[in-house]
């Protein structure tokens, strides 16, 4: 059961959220979980990774390709689809073990019933391919008319993006081609439908075919669809490749394609499935979160990263945020380092865009885009939110002031290098990214002559409700880390790769470099815990803000969609924060702060956090686990892990669709379970395991890829078991509080006693949290 997601009836209200929930994809494209008869009104979409377009003066967004899965039915002249006819029964399901989507709908027809099934997958084996199997069975003879092919009327938020549409039929293959408006990139979708039964009539119009046939009661009528999508970013002639791909797929046949797809998925799950014993609901939610990450992971390209809404459409401009480095990267680091590397190489490829942005703001170095697309130039607008009262655009400072993005990128790169030991990333551009970001901060920083320290002023931290603040603790801590990493990186290259270092350093001969970074680091200010309360102030004078309960702030709200941040936002003058900020910092630098500091800040900030971002709850779960109070964290874990299953997140702001999937929360769910509750921490040398399992969990078991070696870890309340694959190159040091450190040699299995885990569940759950 914990591999299946299903709905047992059709509900109009869930058309949009089910489009997210039932999504399939393979990192090259995402296919929304809409039904075969749906069109652009129901937000059917095949969203392409890394293909962006601007239409008119509107914001750029990813391109949705024509939909080759489109299929409509008529029976005895009457249109049959969930939108036209009340079905007798309807089931939609997604098998996440192999990413296969199915629907089965039973309609009433004259004299009986007609059962329509459709199964489909976006191939994980052939990244350009999709395939589907359909069947019809009726209890009485009837006449069927099938309309199937490519629906070139795509859903766009800020379109149109496809021009010069050409639809044709080439010896049984339907082809829809078009060119994007801004970059003139050709997009081609090919489709072929194959059936073994006799038809009375077949006709084509554009890229749709109409097939009429009589069916006999009780007999099964089955047909298959093969489709392919290519763009000019993949090859010089996408139409030729799309048609070829479809013909090859048809020759292989559906079963063979499905088998190859399932095999590819089995491999992905072997690398990443995480078992939770004792809690089936959490198990499904965690697996589903992992599933969401696997369908959008750019395994085949280092030119794209993961957008904030994955490949579930064009929301948030299909842009890449800090979400990737801070919330998704850890999953890939531990399970699929190749993809983790691709994600970071995307930042190398977009470095020039970040340099342009820094220059635009009069700074040195690289200021990464808050909303990054193909070139690295910032897609974020200066007026990102409309005021609900006046209808006027509001000046927001996401683009100008969330400078922490450059530090998050550096943190991600250094995590990768220390974790995997793969220093080639630094030589392939990673070192330049690091140094350029350090340069940016050197030029952005302010030297306070009175306090004799470097400070970072006028920024927005993760809590976007408080814009343009001074010395945001999270930002400053990450900037300090950037400076440290810049120096460590130089030292590493000087020792290990002196020739490459000297060549690279030449580029940095002018402008601030290592000497300046060192000097800034020596007198750099990061807000510290107050000696009495242990609290870390989120930014200068945060503690002077009006301190009201969240409920009171909510009571002041006049309009359900009003923005709590920005110029007049209700939260801006209060201590209420949008999302984890100081607490996030305590998680990123967990080894630098005592348990008492973490607990004091968790308890202080938790009631003041609105969780207005889906990035927030997982961090409270992580820190709760870290301080040995997993049951405080459990509700936050569940909220994170179910966000795309329940669809309980904002879908619209005014008339703007902002729904879609939540990859950062998906990555956050994995972090909370593995790095939080199972207590896994790897610094590149030693695997530390400090479990804090929630009450109902008896064990967590998962594969880990560490420094290119494969391990399996099982964490229960009583013991920790690590087994090393026989083919591993190195022994791994494993430690856990309360147990002597042990070396796990290739092929060996070792067991450590789990200390302190028995305390889990005994903390007594805070009512405020339970009520969340
Ligand atoms: C959050 C940001 C996040 C963005 C994209 C916003 O609501 O506040 O931290 O990067 O959504 O997920």
């Amino acid at each position: 059961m914990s591999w299946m997601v299903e709905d047992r009836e059709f509900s109009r209200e869930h058309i949009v959220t089910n489009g997210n929930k039932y999504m399939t994809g393979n990192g090259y494209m995402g296919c929304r979980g809409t039904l075969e008869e749906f069109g652009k009104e129901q937000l059917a979409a095949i969203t392409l990774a890394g293909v962006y377009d601007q239409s008119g003066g509107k914001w750029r967004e990813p391109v949705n390709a024509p939909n080759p899965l489109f299929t409509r039915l008529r029976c005895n002249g009457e249109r049959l689809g969930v939108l036209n006819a009340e079905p007798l029964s309807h089931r939609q399901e997604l098998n996440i073990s192999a990413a296969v989507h199915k629907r089965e709908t039973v309609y009433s027809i004259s004299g009986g019933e007609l059962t329509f099934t459709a199964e489909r997958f976006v191939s994980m084996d052939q990244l350009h391919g999709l395939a589907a199997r359909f069947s019809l069975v009726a209890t009485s003879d009837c006449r069927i008319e099938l309309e199937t092919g490519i629906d070139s009327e795509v859903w766009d938020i800020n379109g149109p993006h496809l021009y010069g549409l050409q639809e044709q039929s080439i010896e049984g293959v339907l082809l829809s081609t078009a060119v994007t408006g801004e970059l003139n990139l050709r997009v081609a979708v090919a489709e072929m439908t194959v059936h073994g039964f006799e038809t009375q009539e077949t006709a084509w119009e554009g890229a749709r075919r109409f097939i009429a046939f009589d069916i006999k009661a009780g007999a099964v009528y089955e047909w298959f669809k093969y489709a392919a999508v290519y763009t000019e970013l993949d090859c010089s002639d996408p139409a030729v490749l799309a048609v070829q791909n479809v013909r090859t797929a048809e020759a292989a046949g559906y079963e063979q394609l499905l088998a190859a797809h399932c095999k590819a998925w089995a491999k992905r799950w072997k690398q990443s499935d995480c078992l939770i014993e004792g809690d089936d609901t959490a198990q499904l939610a965690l697996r589903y979160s992992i599933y969401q990450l696997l369908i959008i992971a750019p395994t085949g390209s280092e030119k794209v990263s993961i957008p904030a809404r994955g490949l579930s459409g064009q929301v948030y401009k299909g842009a890449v945020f800090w979400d990737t480095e801070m919330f998704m990267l850890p999953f890939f680091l531990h399970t699929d380092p190749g993809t983790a590397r691709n994600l970071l190489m995307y930042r190398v490829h977009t470095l020039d865009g970040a340099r342009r942005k820094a220059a635009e703001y009069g700074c040195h170095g690289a200021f990464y885009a808050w909303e990054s697309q193909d070139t690295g130039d910032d897609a974020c607008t200066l007026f990102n939110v409309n005021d609900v009262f006046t209808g006027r655009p509001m000046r927001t400072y996401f683009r100008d002031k969330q400078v922490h993005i450059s530090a998050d990128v550096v943190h991600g790169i250094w995590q990768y290098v220390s974790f995997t030991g793969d220093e080639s990333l630094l030589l392939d551009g990673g070192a330049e990214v690091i140094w350029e970001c350090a340069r940016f901060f050197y030029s952005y920083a302010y030297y306070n002559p009175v306090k004799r320290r470097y400070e970072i002023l006028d920024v927005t931290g993760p809590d976007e409700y408080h814009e343009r603040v001074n010395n945001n603790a999270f930002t400053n801590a990450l900037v300090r880390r950037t400076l440290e990493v810049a120096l460590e990186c130089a030292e590493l290259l000087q020792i290990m790769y002196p020739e490459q270092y000297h060549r690279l350093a030449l580029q940095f001969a002018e402008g601030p470099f290592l000497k300046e970074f060192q000097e800034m680091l020596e007198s750099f200010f990061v807000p510290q815990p107050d000696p009495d309360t242990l609290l870390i102030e989120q930014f200068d004078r945060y503690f002077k803000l009006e301190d009201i309960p969240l409920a009171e702030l909510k009571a002041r709200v006049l309009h359900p969609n009003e923005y709590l941040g920005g110029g007049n936002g209700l939260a801006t003058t209060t201590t209420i924060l949008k999302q984890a900020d100081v607490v996030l910092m305590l998680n990123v630098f967990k080894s630098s702060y005592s348990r008492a500091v973490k607990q004091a800040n968790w308890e202080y900030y938790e009631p003041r956090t609105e969780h207005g971002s889906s990035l927030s709850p997982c961090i409270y779960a992580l820190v709760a686990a870290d301080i040995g109070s997993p049951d405080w964290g459990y509700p936050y874990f569940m909220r994170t892990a179910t966000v795309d299953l329940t669809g309980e997140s904002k879908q619209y702001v005014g008339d703007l669709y902002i729904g879609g999937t939540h990859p950062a929360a998906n990555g956050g769910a994995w972090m909370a379970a593995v790095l939080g509750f199972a207590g896994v921490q790897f610094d590149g040398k030693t695997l530390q395991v400090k479990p804090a399992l929630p009450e109902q969990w008896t064990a967590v078991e998962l594969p880990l890829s560490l420094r290119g070696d494969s391990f399996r870890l099982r964490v229960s309340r009583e013991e920790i078991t690590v087994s090393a694959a026989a083919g591993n190159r190195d022994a791994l040091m494993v430690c856990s509080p309360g147990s002597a450190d042990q070396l796990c040699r290739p092929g060996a299995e070792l067991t450590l006693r789990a200390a302190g885990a028995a305390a889990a569940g005994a903390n007594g759950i805070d009512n405020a949290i339970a009520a969340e």
Side-chain angles (χ1 to χ4, degrees), residues 308-309 316 321-323 327 370 398 402 404 462 464 578-579 612-615 664:
R309 287 287 185 264
Y316 282 142
F321 291 63
W322 69 312
D323 304 31
F327 293 82
W370 182 242
F398 308 114
Q402 288 210 57
H404 68 81
E464 294 176 340
K578 179 176 181 186
Q579 65 202 86
S613 160
S614 61
L615 276 56

Side-chain angles (χ1 to χ4, degrees), residues 310-379:
L311 298 174
S312 64
Q314 297 156 322
V315 168
Y316 282 142
K317 311 173 184 97
V320 179
F321 291 63
W322 69 312
D323 304 31
T324 313
E325 279 78 10
M326 302 306 286
F327 293 82
M328 303 171 214
L329 184 68
F331 165 76
F332 292 107
L333 274 182
H334 289 77
T335 59
D336 181 5
T339 298
R341 193 179 198 281
N342 284 350
L343 296 172
L344 297 164
M345 282 304 291
Y346 163 79
R347 296 298 190 178
V348 171
H349 292 299
T350 50
L351 174 59
D352 279 341
R355 285 182 172 129
R356 284 190 288 273
K357 183 175 168 190
E360 182 191 332
Y361 285 92
C363 292
H364 286 296
F367 180 5
Y368 272 88
W370 182 242
E371 298 185 359
S372 183
Q373 298 178 332
D374 45 352
T375 62
D377 291 292
D378 209 327

Side-chain angles (χ1 to χ4, degrees), residues 23-46:
M23 226 192 101
T24 48
N26 60 15
Y28 174 80
M29 61 184 139
C31 171
R32 286 181 57 78
T34 47
L35 299 177
E36 286 64 25
E37 60 269 42
F38 287 178
K40 64 179 187 180
E41 289 76 21
Q42 291 75 36
L43 314 191
I46 305 283

Side-chain angles (χ1 to χ4, degrees), residues 48-90:
L48 301 178
V51 186
Y52 293 93
D53 183 65
Q54 182 170 34
S55 175
K58 296 176 272 183
W59 27 260
R60 293 178 97 225
E61 62 187 13
V63 171
N64 286 336
N67 171 19
L69 297 166
F70 173 77
T71 302
R72 267 191 198 154
L73 284 180
R74 274 176 190 277
C75 179
N76 299 330
E78 198 186 315
R79 165 83 65 84
L80 283 191
V82 289
L83 299 171
N84 314 83
E86 186 73 29
L88 294 174
S89 72
H90 173 78

Side-chain angles (χ1 to χ4, degrees), residues 261-280:
H261 166 75
C262 291
K263 198 168 157 208
W265 265 95
K267 194 169 157 225
R268 306 297 302 279
W269 278 116
K270 193 164 177 255
Q271 284 171 259
S272 54
D273 187 24
C274 177
L275 304 173
I276 299 174
E277 290 172 22
D279 188 346
D280 289 348

